[in-house]
Amino acid sequence: MAGTSRKEPGGPAARVGWWMGGALIAGLILVVAYPVYGPDRQTTDRPERSSGATGASAVDLSSMTPREAADRLFNRVMTAVSSDDSSEVINFLPMAIRAYELVEPLDADGKFHLSLLHLTATLNEEGLADVEEILDEQPDHLLGLAAAADASLALGDTASARVYYRRWLDVYDTEIARNVPEYGDHAQMMPEMRAKAEALVGND
């Protein structure tokens, strides 16, 4: 995992003000035909040809909900992060953040995505605030606890990170048994979360 009183953002998201509406549309045009890859997600989508194809094989921008557009941008950013493609991250990270900020209401999975994006942009206080909203409603949410721990570490608060990860370990079995959809979507992240938790908590 990349990768909150609030300070003024100093990272990429600080420069996504008045131009973001147009940039977001431009970004969606670029990514709409891009294969969707998220944590533990697979797709059979293929990049569309630029020949203006119509019919079932063509991507209809108007058919995408704001959340679908945000998820498409998130997946592209995370793919770029995993590939160490810094140019791709710089290009699409601000748009992905803004896309989730435009989604109302945003569920726990969306808030987790937004937190990862904020942490990727080193907007660590914002990343922590995102998942604190999850934990206010679901105190044992595994994705929320792990992201809160990582944000705390990024902020230099090791004590809080240990608390979050200790709780993650304590509630893991009960939470996994709930079959929460986002746990399945991000299943491949769970071993890494456990490894981080055990390394940080140790013999506590």
Side-chain angles (χ1 to χ4, degrees):
M1 291 174 43
T4 53
S5 86
R6 289 178 178 254
K7 61 183 179 183
E8 289 300 314
R15 298 183 291 277
V16 295
W18 57 270
W19 54 270
M20 183 52 64
L24 178 57
I25 296 301
L28 290 179
I29 292 172
L30 288 172
V31 303
V32 67
Y34 192 83
V36 180
Y37 297 110
D40 203 40
R41 291 184 180 182
Q42 300 293 330
T43 182
T44 56
D45 288 352
R46 293 291 184 271
E48 297 297 323
R49 296 180 181 178
S50 58
S51 60
T54 59
S57 63
V59 176
D60 182 3
L61 282 173
S62 67
S63 70
M64 297 179 68
T65 66
R67 176 58 187 274
E68 288 170 341
D71 285 346
R72 183 64 62 95
L73 283 163
F74 170 81
N75 290 329
R76 183 153 193 178
V77 170
M78 292 298 104
T79 298
V81 169
S82 66
S83 301
D84 294 323
D85 187 342
S86 59
S87 295
E88 188 93 340
V89 173
I90 290 169
N91 286 336
F92 291 99
L93 179 57
M95 288 185 286
I97 290 173
R98 184 57 179 154
Y100 279 104
E101 290 174 344
L102 293 173
V103 176
E104 292 292 344
L106 195 58
D107 62 11
D109 188 49
K111 290 173 183 176
F112 174 67
H113 289 181
L114 181 56
S115 177
L116 292 188
L117 293 169
H118 276 141
L119 293 177
T120 300
T122 65
L123 299 174
N124 302 319
E125 292 183 353
E126 286 81 353
L128 181 57
D130 297 329
V131 288
E132 283 178 337
E133 292 182 10
I134 299 174
L135 298 176
D136 284 345
E137 297 182 0
Q138 304 179 62
D140 295 338
H141 196 281
L142 293 175
L143 301 182
L145 289 169
D150 287 348
S152 296
L153 286 174
L155 290 166
D157 187 355
T158 303
S160 292
R162 290 168 68 89
V163 171
Y164 286 124
Y165 268 135
R166 174 73 270 171
R167 185 158 190 82
W168 191 96
L169 292 169
D170 289 343
V171 303
Y172 178 84
D173 290 338
T174 301
E175 281 293 299
I176 285 296
R178 292 175 54 214
N179 292 319
V180 176
E182 57 262 35
Y183 293 170
D185 290 341
H186 298 284
Q188 74 177 31
M189 301 179 73
M190 295 297 179
E192 179 184 356
M193 291 177 180
R194 177 176 288 279
K196 285 184 178 181
E198 291 176 343
L200 187 64
V201 173
N203 295 322
D204 286 0

